[in-house]
Amino acid sequence: MEHLISFFEIPAADFSRAVSFYGSVLETSLSVMESEEERMAFFSSGAGETVGAISQAAGFHPAADGILLHLRVADMDQTLRRVLACGGEVIRAKTAINCDQMGFFALFKDSEGNRVGLHSQK
């Protein structure tokens, strides 16, 4: 499979807070779409492709366990500092992946209580 992941959604209890958190941590702007039943803020790839969203809808709740999503970042240390500055919590510090020079990973809890991973090559 060329691209296994089609789209991801990160649940938000407080939509505005979550959009602000991820926008600041990832140093990006997210485009927002709202309807009567759902609010979404979209992440774009470098090529402009929509790859995921922060979502708020009935029955869609943040969780600290379950599926674990890892976001690719250029600088793990700077990103983890922004996580803390934005009110998140580092669950696992930057850790080397000791196989085939796969880089580093870390885990954090976002503003909504979701557990999210980070991955970087350096």
Side-chain angles (χ1 to χ4, degrees), residues 34-107:
E34 299 187 42
S35 69
E36 291 180 24
E37 300 171 0
E38 185 173 25
R39 298 165 78 185
M40 298 179 88
F42 297 100
F43 295 96
S44 294
S45 70
E49 174 187 20
T50 300
V51 295
I54 297 166
S55 298
Q56 183 180 46
F60 205 57
H61 306 287
D65 54 9
I67 292 174
L68 180 59
L69 164 73
H70 283 78
L71 302 171
R72 184 176 296 123
V73 297
D75 187 313
M76 180 76 67
D77 297 322
Q78 287 182 5
T79 304
L80 288 172
R81 282 193 290 275
R82 288 192 299 270
V83 164
L84 294 171
C86 293
E89 174 187 345
V90 175
I91 298 169
R92 182 160 183 168
K94 179 180 176 180
T95 304
I97 302 170
N98 294 321
C99 66
D100 298 329
Q101 300 180 11
M102 294 288 295
F104 300 88
F105 78 97
L107 301 176

